[in-house]
Amino acid sequence: MIWKAAITLLAAGALAPAAVVSAQDAPEPLHERTALTDLPLEGARAAMQLEHVTLSISVNPQSRQIAGDASYRVLAEDTLDELVFDLDPRFAVRGVSVAGEQLDDGRWTSAEGLLTIHLAEPLLSGAPIDVRITYDGAPHVARNAPWEGGFVWSETPEGKPWIATAVQGEGCDLIWPCIDHSSKQIGTLDLIVSVPKGLVAAGNGRLIGTRDDGDRTVFHWQARDPSNYGIALQIAPYEVARRDYDSRFGNAIPMMFFYLPGKEEGANRLLGEMSDQIAFMEDRFGPYPFADEKVGVAETPLLGMEHQTILAYGNGYPREAYGHDQLLQHELAHEWFANQLRHATINHMWMPEGITTWTQPLYLEHVRGTMFYDAEMWRLRQRVWSRVPLVPPEGDLPDYNDREAKWGDDIYFKGAWIMHTLRYLVGEQALFPALTRLTYGNSNPVPGETKPISRTTHDFRLILEDITAQDLRWFFDAYFYQADLPRLAVKRDGRTLTMDWITPSPFPFAMPVEVRIDGRNRTLMMEGGHGELTLPAADTHFLIDPGNRILKHDAAIEAWQNRDSRD
C-alpha cells in the first residue's frame, strides 16, 4: 500500500485525479468483523485451504452492484463438520452447493460477516471438496481508498465508468467469500469478470481470453498463488501499452500498462522506467516472481496499491525531480515485498511495507548517487514516531489508521530505517543475501520455480543470525518489540568521552557507534551497551554517528514532530 502520511512529503504534486472522480455516496459503516482483517483463525477457518478458486463477477456500474459466482476446491487440513467463509453481510447469498448438491437454506447461514456451511458428514483431514456460492449486492464503497478500502465507482473525463477495488486494510470479504487472513494462500485463481461492452477488466495473472455476451464482454484471467487482498477489479475503457522485458536471468517478461484514452505517452514512458527498476530489483534481490504471468499496471481513480501482477496506479504521470515516478516504483517493488514475500499476520506488516519503502532511497542511490539516498533517508526519518511496538504481540490487531499510535506510519518509515541501520551493522554482503533467502526461501531463486512465502520478523532474525553468525536478539527486541527508540547518553569529562545505550529491552543494546574526531572516524564497539574513549584534548570537537546510520531517539525531531501540540 502507498503510505498515506507521506504523499505531500515524498511525492509533492502526486495527487489522485480528483477532478475525474465522481462524488461518492456516503458509505454505510462496515460490520465490526468485516472492517477487520487477520482476525484469529479458529475452527473451520483455520483448517481450510483453498486449492483453487473460480471467481466469476458481473459488474453493473449503473446500479453499483455486483453478482458473484464463486467455485472452490477446498482441502481439509483437519476433520471438518462445517465450512466457514468470511463475507461482508451486505451481500445476499443466493445459493450454496457442496459436492454438486444444492443445499437447502437450513444447511447454511450467513450472518455477522460469516458464511457457515454445515456438512452432511464430516470431511476428513486431507480430503478435498467442491463448493459453490452465489451472491449479489451493493458492495461497500471506499471512504478513502486505498487507506480505507472498498469499491471506487468513478468516471473518466469522458463520463465512462472507471471502477477499482482496494481492500488491503479490510480484507477480501469486501468482494468475495474468502478466508480473510494473511496466512491463507490460494493455489490457483480463475477470475472471470463481466462488464458492459466498451469496458475492459484488467485482472491478475495471464489473460486466457475474452468473449462477447450480448451487450457485455467477459474477461478471463488466470493467476497462481494470488494473495487475498491482491485480487482486484480494475475496470475502464482501457487501452493497453505492451512490451517485453529481457531479464538478466535469461527469460522474457511481458509488460502491460492499461491506461485511459489519451495517456499513451505517459504509459509508455512509465514502462521504460519500470524496465530499469526491474533490472535493479533483480540485481539486488532476485528474479521478478511472476515472470510466467506479467508485469501489469492499471490506471485507477485511487492513488496506488500492489495488486499482484496488476498494480493500481493513480499518480497522474507527473514529471518528478527524482527522474522517475516514485509511486510506481514503490508499487512495483511490492511484487517482491508483499506479493512474493508476505507477512504471516498483519502484525508483521512492516516487512513488506518497510523493505519496499527502503528500496526507494536504494534505487535513488543506484541511479542518482549517495546524496539522493541520504536525502531520502532524512525525509523518511521525520516520519518515524515509535509510539507503539512495530511488531505488536500476536493476537493484538494493530490499527493502520490510528492517528495517535501512528503504527500505520511506522511500518513504512521505521521499517525502512531499521533496514538502513542493518545495512550499517551487518553490511551489504550479509543483508542482501539474507533478504533474498527471506523472500524466496533459498539463496539461488530461479525464474519459474518461485512461490510466495509467508514470513515473520522472527524468521528474518534467524536468517540474519545464520548468515552473520551473530546473536541479534538485542537488535530485534529493541527495534521491533519495544516502542521507545534506543537513546544514546553521551558524557564528556575532560578528555574522557563515555557513551551508554538506554533502551527498555532486557538485552544490552550493542550497537557500534562511529565518532568523528578531527576529521577521522573511529568506531566504538559498545560491548554491553557501553563505550569509552579518550579525546586528543579537552576541547576537541567530536561528532556522534556522522553518517547518520543508526535509528535512535532524536530530540530535535521529536520537538519538531510535537510542534503543533505545544502551548
Side-chain angles (χ1 to χ4, degrees):
M1 184 189 290
I2 190 66
W3 57 94
K4 184 175 184 178
I7 292 175
T8 55
L9 178 67
L10 297 180
L15 300 178
V20 299
V21 177
S22 61
Q24 300 287 307
D25 296 335
E28 296 179 6
L30 282 167
H31 182 274
E32 181 181 3
R33 179 184 180 87
T34 306
L36 300 173
T37 191
D38 271 22
L39 286 167
L41 290 171
E42 53 192 10
R45 290 174 68 250
M48 292 168 53
Q49 183 64 37
L50 304 184
E51 289 191 318
H52 178 77
V53 178
T54 297
L55 181 59
S56 299
I57 297 180
S58 179
V59 180
N60 188 330
Q62 186 173 4
S63 66
R64 295 187 174 183
Q65 293 187 330
I66 66 171
D69 187 339
S71 296
Y72 308 82
R73 184 73 163 177
V74 179
L75 181 67
E77 297 179 329
D78 198 354
T79 299
L80 297 174
D81 296 316
E82 62 185 16
L83 305 175
V84 180
F85 295 84
D86 296 285
L87 182 64
D88 188 342
R90 75 189 61 230
F91 291 119
V93 176
R94 300 302 182 184
V96 175
S97 65
V98 175
E101 176 193 357
Q102 187 73 25
L103 302 188
D104 296 333
D105 291 352
R107 295 273 304 279
W108 57 267
T109 59
S110 180
E112 303 299 319
L114 290 176
L115 170 60
T116 303
I117 303 169
H118 304 287
L119 300 176
E121 56 185 40
L123 182 66
L124 300 180
S125 178
I129 196 166
D130 293 327
V131 180
R132 182 180 178 187
I133 302 166
T134 56
Y135 65 101
D136 58 35
H140 176 70
V141 175
R143 292 176 181 271
N144 185 25
W147 307 284
E148 296 178 84
F151 270 68
V152 179
W153 304 93
S154 185
E155 292 182 349
T156 69
E158 295 76 27
K160 302 294 185 181
W162 189 15
I163 303 163
T165 62
V167 297
Q168 183 181 28
E170 298 78 10
C172 48
D173 50 342
L174 292 193
I175 304 176
W176 58 286
C178 63
I179 305 173
D180 182 19
H181 196 277
S182 299
S183 67
K184 287 298 182 178
Q185 309 294 326
I186 301 167
T188 53
L189 168 74
D190 282 284
L191 180 62
I192 301 169
V193 186
S194 171
V195 295
K197 190 159 289 185
L199 299 181
V200 173
N204 306 91
R206 299 181 298 116
L207 181 63
I208 301 302
T210 63
R211 62 179 174 84
D212 290 335
D213 185 15
D215 60 353
R216 302 180 68 82
T217 306
V218 179
F219 293 81
H220 182 181
W221 294 90
Q222 192 173 80
R224 61 168 179 84
D225 307 305
S227 67
N228 283 329
Y229 79 87
I231 298 172
L233 302 178
Q234 296 175 135
I235 299 165
Y238 288 126
E239 298 175 359
V240 187
R242 307 169 188 263
R243 69 178 68 177
D244 283 345
Y245 170 76
D246 293 324
S247 167
R248 65 191 298 271
F249 290 93
N251 56 311
I253 306 172
M255 303 175 69
M256 303 175 69
F257 200 117
F258 294 79
Y259 62 90
L260 294 185
K263 303 295 182 65
E264 181 179 8
E265 180 182 355
N268 277 300
R269 173 168 55 84
L270 293 189
L271 281 179
E273 291 182 11
M274 289 171 65
S275 295
D276 292 337
Q277 293 158 14
I278 293 170
F280 167 76
M281 294 293 292
E282 289 200 324
D283 178 65
R284 287 297 180 99
F285 303 109
Y288 176 73
F290 308 102
D292 53 325
E293 295 181 344
K294 69 177 182 302
V295 177
V297 183
E299 186 175 357
T300 57
L302 59 94
L303 188 60
M305 179 54 69
E306 64 269 15
H307 299 135
Q308 190 168 312
T309 71
I310 189 64
L311 308 173
Y313 172 81
N315 205 18
Y317 309 96
R319 292 283 185 176
E320 297 188 25
Y322 301 103
H324 66 276
D325 192 301
Q326 281 269 83
L327 184 142
L328 186 59
Q329 189 270 324
H330 177 95
E331 303 302 350
L332 177 64
H334 269 313
E335 294 283 30
W336 281 260
F337 307 116
N339 296 331
Q340 171 62 31
L341 169 64
R342 301 175 181 176
H343 51 268
T345 70
I346 195 173
N347 300 58
H348 304 276
M349 193 174 171
W350 80 268
M351 225 166 0
E353 298 297 355
I355 299 173
T356 291
T357 301
W358 185 55
T359 68
Q360 296 182 247
L362 273 182
Y363 182 65
L364 279 169
E365 182 181 53
H366 174 72
V367 296
R368 303 298 296 271
T370 302
M371 186 196 78
F372 278 78
Y373 177 89
D374 290 339
E376 271 315 273
M377 291 309 305
W378 166 239
R379 289 175 182 261
L380 298 179
R381 179 62 184 87
Q382 297 171 58
R383 309 305 303 190
V384 176
W385 302 91
S386 250
R387 294 176 177 174
V388 295
L390 193 60
V391 180
E394 291 300 332
D396 292 354
L397 291 180
D399 184 352
Y400 182 94
N401 291 305
D402 187 329
R403 296 183 179 181
E404 293 300 319
K406 292 190 180 293
W407 179 84
D409 273 14
D410 279 345
I411 58 174
Y412 299 94
F413 311 123
K414 185 177 180 180
W417 255 84
I418 290 171
M419 299 306 301
H420 172 69
T421 300
L422 271 174
R423 188 186 193 189
Y424 160 73
L425 177 66
V426 304
E428 292 188 0
Q429 295 76 15
L431 182 55
F432 285 109
L435 286 172
T436 297
R437 193 190 302 181
L438 180 74
T439 302
Y440 299 94
N442 62 76
S443 299
N444 296 291
V446 176
E449 299 179 12
T450 64
K451 289 182 69 65
I453 189 167
S454 295
R455 296 289 203 181
T456 66
T457 306
H458 181 68
D459 295 329
F460 187 29
R461 176 170 73 84
L462 294 182
I463 291 171
L464 269 175
E465 289 181 337
D466 183 59
I467 289 176
T468 63
Q470 298 179 36
D471 183 343
L472 295 173
R473 285 177 297 174
W474 62 270
F475 182 97
F476 276 72
D477 189 77
Y479 281 127
F480 292 109
Y481 306 112
Q482 308 294 333
D484 293 340
L485 288 176
R487 293 172 180 257
L488 186 60
V490 180
K491 182 179 179 181
R492 178 176 187 162
D493 184 6
R495 293 176 57 200
T496 302
L497 183 68
T498 58
M499 287 181 282
D500 290 278
W501 283 113
I502 303 170
T503 80
S505 172
F507 303 101
F509 192 69
M511 178 67 68
V513 178
E514 279 191 339
V515 185
R516 181 170 294 169
I517 304 171
D518 292 335
R520 299 179 63 182
N521 289 350
R522 177 176 172 180
T523 300
L524 285 183
M525 295 312 297
M526 302 295 289
E527 295 290 340
H530 174 81
E532 184 175 307
L533 60 80
T534 301
L535 299 171
D539 60 350
T540 298
H541 174 72
F542 62 88
L543 182 61
I544 304 294
D545 188 22
N548 292 285
R549 299 297 184 242
I550 303 173
L551 178 58
K552 57 187 179 298
H553 175 261
D554 188 311
I557 290 178
E558 183 178 58
W560 175 80
Q561 290 176 334
N562 296 330
R563 64 196 183 282
D564 295 332
S565 62
R566 293 177 298 183
D567 293 334

